[in-house]
Amino acid sequence: MTTTLLSPTEARVLATLMEKARTVPDSYPMSLVALLSGCNQKTSRDPIMTLSEAEIAEALGTLKDLALVRESSGSRVTRFEHNFQRGIGVPEQSAVILGLLMLRGPQTAGELRLNTERWYKFADISSVEGFLDEMLERSEEKGGPLVVKLARAPGEREQRWAHLLCGPVDINATAAPAGSGNTSRLEARIETLEEEVAQLRATVQKLCAELGIG
C-alpha cells in the first residue's frame, strides 16, 4: 500500500473540509462557495492561498477519485464531505494532527496541542507526541511515514513537525513563522469569531430557504 500524494490545493481543500466538519457542523457538508471561503481564509492558514472555484472543483474531482471526499445528497446545492480517516487509514487523533499540519504548516507538538483544541482535546503534549511518533514510524507496508521531524530552528526549544501527504519536505527548513508563538491564541480567537459568523449565516440561509425568501 502506498499513500497517494496530494497537491497543495488538494491538501487545502481536504483539510478545510476536515476543519469545518468539527468547528461549524451546522454548515457541513460544505457547498463549493463555502469551501472557497474556507480555503482562502486569511487566518489559521499557512500558506495563505487565493484559490478559484475552478481550482477547488478540480481538486474535489481528484479527491473523489481517491475516495477522500464524497458528494452529499439530499440538498439542492451540491455539498461535499471528507472521508480522510478511513481513506488514509489512521485513527481519529492522527487524522486531527494531519489536518492541522495541512492547514497551518509545520508546528511543534505544543502548538499542535493548542491548535487542535476545537477539533480534539488531547490530554497532554506527550499524547500528541505519541501519535506523531506513531506516524513517523509507520511501516512501508502501510504506506510509509506520514510526518517528518524538522531540524530545530534557531532560538526554538522544540522541533517542529511537517506532514508528508504532499511528498518529501526539506527537514532543514528551520524558519518558523515570525511571532507564531505569540499570535496563536489571537488567531484562535479570530477563527472562533469567524466560525460563529459562518454558523449564523448558515442558519439565516436555512431559514430563508424554508420561508421561501430570496
Side-chain angles (χ1 to χ4, degrees), residues 8-21 23-24 27-28 30-53 56 99 102-104 119 191 194-195 198 201:
T9 299
E10 290 158 5
R12 174 58 54 86
V13 169
L14 183 58
T16 300
L17 286 170
M18 295 167 68
E19 175 190 54
K20 302 307 182 185
T23 59
V24 282
S27 56
Y28 185 86
M30 299 182 73
S31 66
L32 182 59
V33 173
L35 194 48
L36 176 68
S37 176
C39 288
N40 292 336
Q41 275 184 215
K42 297 297 187 288
T43 58
S44 306
R45 300 289 185 267
D46 185 14
I48 292 173
M49 292 182 170
T50 307
L51 300 175
S52 66
E53 281 194 16
I56 291 176
M102 283 191 284
L103 277 185
R104 301 191 180 199
W119 293 35
E191 181 182 6
E194 287 180 341
E195 286 164 355
R201 184 180 293 119

Side-chain angles (χ1 to χ4, degrees), residues 50-71:
T50 307
L51 300 175
S52 66
E53 281 194 16
E55 289 173 315
I56 291 176
E58 182 180 353
L60 284 167
T62 301
L63 292 168
K64 284 192 291 182
D65 291 341
L66 296 172
L68 293 175
V69 164
R70 55 194 173 210
E71 285 188 19

Side-chain angles (χ1 to χ4, degrees), residues 89-100:
V90 293
E92 179 184 16
Q93 296 92 329
S94 297
V96 165
I97 290 170
L98 288 170
L100 261 294

Side-chain angles (χ1 to χ4, degrees), residues 175-189:
S180 59
N182 297 328
T183 60
S184 291
R185 292 188 181 279
L186 176 59
E187 285 190 348
R189 178 58 181 158

Side-chain angles (χ1 to χ4, degrees), residues 102-178:
M102 283 191 284
L103 277 185
R104 301 191 180 199
Q107 297 159 75
T108 66
E111 288 170 337
L112 282 166
R113 189 196 175 204
L114 173 65
N115 292 334
T116 57
E117 278 190 344
R118 300 188 64 226
W119 293 35
Y120 182 94
K121 291 190 179 296
F122 288 93
D124 47 38
I125 294 177
S126 296
S127 178
V128 176
E129 291 173 334
F131 284 100
L132 285 166
D133 287 337
E134 187 177 279
M135 289 190 283
L136 177 66
E137 296 163 7
R138 189 169 180 250
S139 69
E140 293 300 328
E141 290 76 15
K142 292 184 177 180
L146 290 170
V147 296
V148 64
K149 201 169 189 178
L150 304 179
R152 185 178 287 107
E156 294 291 320
R157 290 183 300 173
E158 292 183 71
Q159 288 177 259
R160 292 177 303 137
W161 295 78
H163 73 86
L164 295 173
L165 294 171
C166 293
V169 300
D170 181 4
I171 62 171
N172 294 312
T174 58

